[in-house]
Amino acid sequence: MAKFYSIFFLLLLTIPSIAAPAGTIEGVITDKATGETLPGAGITLGPGNVVVSDFDGNYYAKLPAGSYNLIVSYISYTTLKVDNVEVKAGETLRLNLELEFASFTLDAITITATKRSSSEMAMISSIKNAGMVVSGISAQQISRSQDRDASEVVKRVTGVSTVADRFVVVRGLAQRYNNVFLNGASTPSSEADTRAFSFDVIPSSLIESLEVFKSQSPELPADFSGGFIKIRTKNNPESSSLDISLGAGWRTGTTLNDYTSYKGSSADVLGFGASARQLPNNFPNPLNSKYTADQRAQYTRELNSDWSTSTDKALPDGRLSVALNTSKKFSDRVTLSSIAGINYSISKKALEISNARYDGWDTQNDAPSPHSQYTDEQYTTEVKAGALANFLLLVGQNTRYEFNNFFNQISKDCATLRSGVDYGNNYKIKGSESLYSARSTYSGQLSGRHLFSGKEHMLSWVAGYSYANLREPDRRMITSRMNDDPESEYYGRYRIMGNDANRTFQQLDEQAISGQVDYLRTLHLGGYTPTLKTGGLLEVKMRNFDAREFVYDFSRSLPIGYYYMGAAQMFSEEYLNANGTYLIEKSNKSNSYDAGRNIYAGYVSLKLPLGEHAYVDGGVRYEYTQTTLDSYTSDGTKSVNLNEPQGDIFPSVNATWNINERNVLRAAYGKSVNRSEFREIAPFVYYDYDLFSNFEGNSNLRNAYIQNVDVRYELYPADDDMISVGAFYKNFKDPIEVTFFETGGQLQYTFTNADGAYAYGLEADLRKSLDFIGLKNFMLIFNGTLIKSRVTFAPGGVERDRPLQGQSPYLINAGVAYRNNTNKLSANLQYNIIGKRMVTAGQPKQNPQDDIPDAYEIPHHSLDFSMGKRWGNFEVKAGVKDILNSKIVVRQFVDFEYNGVHYKRHEDMRSYRSGTVFNFSIGYSF
């Protein structure tokens, strides 16, 4: 298309050239910092006179002699003005334009340019010129969808999916195998029970670009095997403006339906309701037997004693975003740009969940053996409030400074009402959980980049600080039981006893300080020009975790009818006294832990040209880590003190062959590591109400080491088209997995090392304009991944052949995008599915009737549609998310033989539908 437009406009330009003496202007447009050519740039030479740079960044125009003011428009750059260009009759003016992030002077021509990465063309160019296997998505493509945060955006990238709507899975590998940097610095984890960055904290409107590196390189951290994800937030607006957007959402099964909630705080609407639910400052620690019954009752009365629920109609979801974009040029050498914004959203979701657990399979009767089967009515209100303030200072042509700040607050207020049967104890069950959780995340980076001697020397650095916390104050769980045995105290009516009512208070604080320096130098060895890269990283992470658990003590002097009351009456102030009921503490020393990890890293690599079209980029990275943890065993009786230093060398090599301007072949090898996360090695036991099971850490976990091999072929048929096909292989030593185990007749989750594993697969990516079949302004987007994985075990065990925990066998993202720049209309249809993946590894046994089967998440088809229309500064967007509303299912599969006959059966542990969401928003730019 670029060449077509070039020829078309050149034909137009020949008309005036007949009547006047003509000259020629030509050149190439490149990025000064990287030397990359910039295809698709439009050069306006006057009214109706426009040419477009071709795939290699070349442009050409024949013009009547005279003086011209060139305007260069490129969607990934700010508009360029090139003044006083003299075209002389019969002569050719060669004008090469090197676009950089600063202002500089070329003879009598003043050029002003600032690099961007927000466009789709810029992203394709970045992928093409990268020395590694990388995939990505730009702000331009994000704007065409209705994705609200980074967790939804990242699913559009080749080989990427999400878990629990916020954790990223790359190439089917669980979230633990990924690493995330935000604006060049590591990100904190606000999750108490998993090693992952929660992608839902970053609104999609603030993302400049998102790249997923899939092959290792010395300048990247070694702790990833699925993908290293680099997110850049916006900091360089094209012009000064004030953008405001208001949106609303309607979820089927929720909006305007009955919605149950517990009494909250006035600060809940802003996501800061945790402070109103915290333990009072004067609350004893611990609340043990040294306090009298009267004192315990008094302290219990100081807590919120309102256990009542209310039912109202759920209001539609709401969203607000405001962004202030500024750009100030102080001189020809100094420009300051900034983006400041706030984002707010509130959404409600009501789910009806079938929830079950099984004791294996009854092989004699060929029937499931349920341990418990429940129906959960779950009502979740989620609030997201965030702010961003990013600054970019350009000084001269060789220096830039960035100061990026990002804060986000996310709260979830969840009420779960449970009913069903506990077959293990022959009880009918009624229960509830009230859980308010709040996560705060701050990430700040100060960075700089400096060019010396043209582009032959480059020094870049970044200093980062991040903080994350998790607050789960006053989590309340209560269970009442009933059975049909006339001899039982639970006969006929639901009754609360013993530890059936409890409250927990949990908090986590994590800080990370990091600094990184990178130096690049082009060497001149005769006619040979290799590039040397070296640098180092220092990262310090610190975590503090504390949880306190309480249960209600019931005095024998209470009337028998008391135990059959509802929770709101039982725990009202009327009964909170020495002769009634009060809290007693069940915490032990394992409920708290302090952990830290220091990483000291250095690397060196060399990019070696192999002729004009190929190069090899390889080197080594050394990482020294020191991991510490101080806690106690799960029973609180024995201290656990870990201090584990570890030094490792990680070699890697990336080879690239630019067959021609449209064909690229890559191959890569790298060694990587997967380190245990703090929670995984902490012995703390946490009860998950949704899974009605405990999670316990394992302080004996070992690091996993992975050998990675990649091969990929890339084809660029046109400026904004891309086709790639690749293959990969990974070999794991000591992979870390989430597994079941049985204790006291109950299932419990923990983290263990398997002996080994391997995974291999194919992936394809297609972004193709459909102009060639007459569908102007349409683009087809498809990416898919096929994966095969297996875990290997030591000889002689009873383990079954199975895939790696968390591994998906396939992932598919497909879509059709329509964009008409003339009438400012866009539409997007997107489809996503991930294959059946194991969420938890089971526990094989010699007797299949006692076997604990593996648990899998069944494929869930997702189809979204969105469209937008702009009139001047006014824009309207509408969309439908999860049109199919297919059921989300977690299932156990049973494979056994009985009386010589082979059987395959399954049993559903968890299933629900999340509802279809209709979104509408209006925006205006001032």
Side-chain angles (χ1 to χ4, degrees):
M1 288 302 298
K3 289 184 176 180
F4 171 81
Y5 284 127
S6 297
I7 295 171
F8 177 76
F9 285 114
L10 283 172
L11 289 174
L12 292 178
L13 291 172
T14 60
I15 297 175
S17 69
I18 298 174
T24 301
I25 179 173
E26 66 181 19
V28 60
I29 301 176
T30 60
D31 184 304
K32 186 179 189 309
T34 64
E36 301 170 6
T37 58
L38 302 178
I43 302 97
T44 302
L45 305 159
N49 292 348
V50 180
V51 293
V52 179
S53 62
D54 64 17
F55 194 84
D56 293 317
N58 297 308
Y59 72 95
Y60 171 88
K62 193 171 184 179
L63 301 167
S67 178
Y68 292 86
N69 294 327
L70 276 62
I71 299 175
V72 184
S73 300
Y74 187 46
I75 197 167
S76 60
Y77 285 74
T78 54
T79 300
L80 314 179
K81 292 184 178 180
V82 185
D83 301 325
N84 304 318
V85 177
E86 294 292 335
V87 176
K88 298 180 180 180
E91 296 184 9
T92 297
L93 173 63
R94 180 76 180 178
L95 181 60
N96 295 331
L97 304 179
E98 290 185 311
L99 308 185
E100 178 48 18
F101 49 77
S103 299
F104 61 94
T105 300
L106 179 61
D107 296 331
I109 303 170
T110 300
I111 304 172
T112 303
T114 304
K115 183 181 178 182
R116 306 185 175 281
S117 55
S118 59
S119 75
E120 186 66 8
M121 186 175 292
M123 178 58 66
I124 291 176
S125 177
S126 177
I127 292 172
K128 178 177 182 290
N129 290 283
M132 293 161 279
V133 177
V134 60
S135 301
I137 188 169
S138 66
Q140 185 183 51
Q141 187 176 345
I142 294 169
S143 68
R144 297 172 184 168
S145 72
Q146 56 177 319
D147 295 336
R148 296 171 55 182
D149 54 52
S151 68
E152 297 177 344
V153 169
V154 75
K155 290 191 297 184
R156 314 301 179 192
V157 179
T158 308
V160 179
S161 61
T162 59
V163 175
D165 295 328
R166 64 182 191 270
F167 303 130
V168 167
V169 172
V170 180
R171 285 177 164 174
L173 290 171
Q175 62 263 28
R176 64 170 305 104
Y177 291 103
N178 305 317
N179 203 338
V180 184
F181 269 33
L182 177 63
N183 295 320
S186 64
T187 55
S189 174
S190 60
E191 304 303 310
D193 295 304
T194 186
R195 178 196 187 274
F197 173 71
S198 186
F199 276 71
D200 60 344
V201 304
I202 305 179
S204 60
S205 60
L206 301 181
I207 299 173
E208 174 85 1
S209 63
L210 188 152
E211 295 177 291
V212 181
F213 293 82
K214 299 175 182 178
S215 65
Q216 284 64 37
S217 185
E219 63 263 34
L220 300 180
D223 193 3
F224 83 92
S225 184
F228 176 72
I229 303 167
K230 292 175 66 174
I231 304 173
R232 289 199 60 83
T233 54
K234 296 177 179 178
N235 69 356
N236 185 19
E238 296 184 19
S239 60
S240 296
S241 65
L242 175 63
D243 303 327
I244 300 176
S245 176
L246 288 169
W250 180 293
R251 183 183 294 272
T252 60
T254 300
T255 307
L256 297 188
N257 287 5
D258 287 345
Y259 192 86
T260 300
S261 60
Y262 286 88
K263 184 178 179 179
S265 159
S266 58
D268 289 358
V269 70
L270 296 177
F272 291 92
S275 59
R277 296 169 169 85
Q278 297 279 29
L279 287 169
N281 291 332
N282 65 339
F283 203 83
N285 188 10
L287 183 63
N288 55 24
S289 57
K290 77 175 185 179
Y291 295 94
T292 66
D294 282 326
Q295 289 174 316
R296 294 186 191 185
Q298 174 59 36
Y299 285 120
T300 303
R301 286 194 294 270
E302 293 181 11
L303 303 182
N304 182 5
S305 58
D306 189 348
W307 284 62
S308 62
T309 62
S310 60
T311 301
D312 299 296
K313 298 297 183 182
L315 295 176
D317 300 344
R319 299 191 303 278
L320 166 69
S321 68
V322 180
L324 176 63
N325 309 308
T326 61
S327 182
K328 175 68 174 177
K329 186 174 182 180
F330 294 96
S331 68
D332 288 341
R333 288 178 50 82
V334 179
T335 303
L336 177 64
S337 301
S338 68
I339 291 183
I342 59 172
N343 285 267
Y344 174 82
S345 69
I346 183 169
S347 61
K348 295 180 181 290
K349 181 189 293 187
L351 302 177
E352 183 174 305
I353 305 170
S354 295
N355 218 342
R357 191 171 67 212
Y358 298 89
D359 291 329
W361 190 267
D362 184 349
T363 56
Q364 293 183 352
N365 298 306
D366 193 18
S369 298
H371 181 278
S372 50
Q373 286 185 316
Y374 302 137
T375 298
D376 292 347
E377 296 177 20
Q378 191 172 87
Y379 305 90
T380 304
T381 301
E382 183 176 59
V383 173
K384 298 181 180 180
L388 175 141
N390 291 347
F391 304 90
L392 172 64
L393 178 64
L394 308 174
V395 182
Q397 65 179 26
N398 295 326
T399 302
R400 69 183 290 160
Y401 299 97
E402 295 183 42
F403 183 39
N404 299 314
N405 299 271
F406 175 79
F407 174 80
N408 198 268
Q409 180 75 17
I410 296 182
S411 71
K412 289 187 178 181
D413 192 356
C414 182
T416 303
L417 309 179
R418 174 168 290 169
S419 61
V421 181
D422 180 348
Y423 293 101
N425 294 293
N426 194 28
Y427 295 137
K428 292 182 180 178
I429 293 293
K430 282 188 177 179
S432 66
E433 180 197 43
S434 169
L435 173 64
Y436 184 91
S437 66
R439 292 181 283 138
S440 303
T441 303
Y442 168 77
S443 179
Q445 304 85 28
L446 178 64
S447 63
R449 189 172 72 175
H450 315 273
L451 296 177
F452 307 98
S453 302
K455 60 183 178 181
E456 293 186 350
H457 301 257
M458 184 173 74
L459 176 69
S460 60
W461 54 270
V462 59
Y465 170 77
S466 62
Y467 169 75
N469 69 38
L470 171 67
R471 300 289 185 264
E472 288 187 0
D474 204 7
R475 176 194 186 203
R476 306 180 190 184
M477 294 179 289
I478 188 167
T479 303
S480 58
R481 298 172 170 84
M482 178 184 73
N483 66 22
D484 298 325
D485 182 3
E487 301 298 324
S488 170
E489 58 184 340
Y490 297 103
Y491 173 69
R493 289 190 294 174
Y494 287 97
R495 180 174 180 176
I496 298 174
M497 289 286 287
N499 295 332
D500 289 344
N502 62 76
R503 301 169 79 160
T504 63
F505 296 78
Q506 177 173 295
Q507 64 181 35
L508 174 150
D509 295 273
E510 181 171 302
Q511 299 182 74
I513 301 171
S514 63
Q516 181 167 328
V517 177
D518 299 280
Y519 175 71
L520 179 150
R521 178 171 183 175
T522 301
L523 306 176
H524 294 278
L525 305 175
Y528 198 56
T529 57
T531 301
L532 173 69
K533 292 182 289 183
T534 186
L537 168 74
L538 167 64
E539 181 179 292
V540 178
K541 277 191 177 182
M542 300 160 286
R543 174 181 285 195
N544 175 267
F545 177 83
D546 182 69
R548 298 184 66 183
E549 303 177 39
F550 303 89
V551 298
Y552 280 89
D553 179 60
F554 300 108
S555 170
R556 293 183 180 274
S557 63
L558 288 165
I560 189 65
Y562 172 83
Y563 301 103
Y564 300 103
M565 295 178 180
Q569 187 177 0
M570 288 184 70
F571 306 123
S572 63
E573 291 199 8
E574 177 184 356
Y575 295 100
L576 297 180
N577 53 62
N579 296 319
T581 187
Y582 47 81
L583 290 173
I584 59 175
E585 187 152 6
K586 289 293 185 181
S587 309
N588 66 39
K589 293 181 178 181
S590 72
N591 284 51
S592 301
Y593 65 87
D594 292 312
R597 174 170 288 149
N598 297 343
I599 300 178
Y600 310 91
Y603 74 90
V604 61
S605 70
L606 202 60
K607 180 179 178 180
L608 302 173
L610 302 177
E612 295 183 5
H613 303 291
Y615 62 87
V616 174
D617 194 344
V620 295
R621 183 181 184 89
Y622 177 78
E623 291 192 353
Y624 177 85
T625 63
Q626 187 167 24
T627 302
T628 61
L629 182 134
D630 296 307
S631 186
Y632 286 80
T633 55
S634 58
D635 59 5
T637 60
K638 185 178 179 181
S639 64
V640 175
N641 304 105
L642 301 181
N643 189 340
E644 298 179 345
Q646 180 71 44
D648 293 294
I649 295 176
F650 300 96
S652 61
V653 60
N654 288 268
T656 302
W657 179 24
N658 294 299
I659 302 171
N660 52 43
E661 71 274 10
R662 299 192 182 276
N663 295 268
V664 181
L665 182 63
R666 306 183 192 276
Y669 161 78
K671 178 184 176 183
S672 61
V673 64
N674 180 229
R675 301 184 178 100
S676 57
E677 183 54 29
F678 299 138
R679 173 62 186 98
E680 296 169 346
I681 58 177
F684 170 62
V685 177
Y686 176 78
Y687 182 77
D688 188 303
Y689 191 81
D690 288 345
L691 301 176
F692 38 94
S693 297
N694 288 321
F695 275 79
E696 181 178 357
N698 176 7
S699 57
N700 296 315
L701 280 180
R702 302 180 301 276
N703 289 341
Y705 291 91
I706 308 98
Q707 308 290 333
N708 308 272
V709 178
D710 278 270
V711 178
R712 187 159 86 170
Y713 166 73
E714 299 168 4
L715 170 65
Y716 299 87
D719 293 349
D720 54 356
D721 292 351
M722 174 182 172
I723 302 171
S724 69
V725 180
F728 60 89
Y729 173 80
K730 300 179 182 294
N731 188 281
F732 300 79
K733 183 179 184 299
D734 299 326
I736 301 172
E737 299 184 301
V738 179
T739 60
F740 291 118
F741 72 97
E742 192 172 0
T743 175
Q746 301 289 326
L747 289 183
Q748 188 157 305
Y749 293 79
T750 192
F751 308 91
T752 60
N753 289 104
D755 185 60
Y758 63 86
Y760 59 88
L762 301 172
E763 59 184 6
D765 191 359
L766 168 66
R767 306 181 200 189
K768 184 72 179 74
S769 169
L770 299 181
D771 283 3
F772 71 100
I773 57 173
L775 295 177
K776 186 178 180 181
N777 302 319
F778 282 88
M779 174 169 283
L780 176 65
I781 301 170
F782 171 87
N783 59 72
T785 307
L786 292 174
I787 310 154
K788 172 79 170 180
S789 73
R790 280 295 177 267
V791 176
T792 57
F793 300 98
V798 296
E799 290 86 356
R800 53 180 159 257
D801 180 47
R802 62 170 177 83
L804 187 66
Q805 185 263 321
Q807 178 76 68
S808 300
Y810 63 86
L811 303 94
I812 296 175
N813 297 302
V816 177
Y818 172 81
R819 190 172 186 87
N820 190 316
N821 293 322
T822 302
N823 58 26
K824 307 297 184 182
L825 178 66
S826 64
N828 204 32
L829 182 67
Q830 295 176 318
Y831 170 79
N832 171 266
I833 187 173
I834 60 173
K836 183 182 77 173
R837 62 180 168 196
M838 181 187 296
V839 294
T840 310
Q843 189 177 82
K845 297 183 179 179
Q846 297 289 353
N847 181 1
Q849 189 164 342
D850 296 327
D851 190 44
I852 302 174
D854 306 323
Y856 290 84
E857 182 180 341
I858 301 305
H860 170 247
H861 300 269
S862 177
L863 184 66
D864 304 335
F865 175 76
S866 62
M867 63 183 302
K869 170 68 176 175
R870 177 176 285 275
W871 295 271
N873 293 339
F874 185 77
E875 185 177 30
V876 174
K877 288 184 177 182
V880 187
K881 193 169 186 64
D882 200 359
I883 297 172
L884 303 176
N885 192 24
S886 59
K887 186 176 289 189
I888 297 172
V889 179
V890 176
R891 179 174 292 169
Q892 289 177 299
F893 291 85
V894 183
D895 193 343
F896 66 95
E897 287 189 8
Y898 184 72
N899 289 336
V901 180
H902 185 246
Y903 295 88
K904 289 186 176 182
R905 300 289 186 262
H906 70 263
E907 47 201 14
D908 289 350
M909 299 179 64
R910 185 175 175 85
S911 64
Y912 61 91
R913 298 182 190 273
S914 61
T916 299
V917 182
F918 298 85
N919 292 311
F920 177 81
S921 67
I922 56 175
Y924 192 84
S925 297
F926 296 89

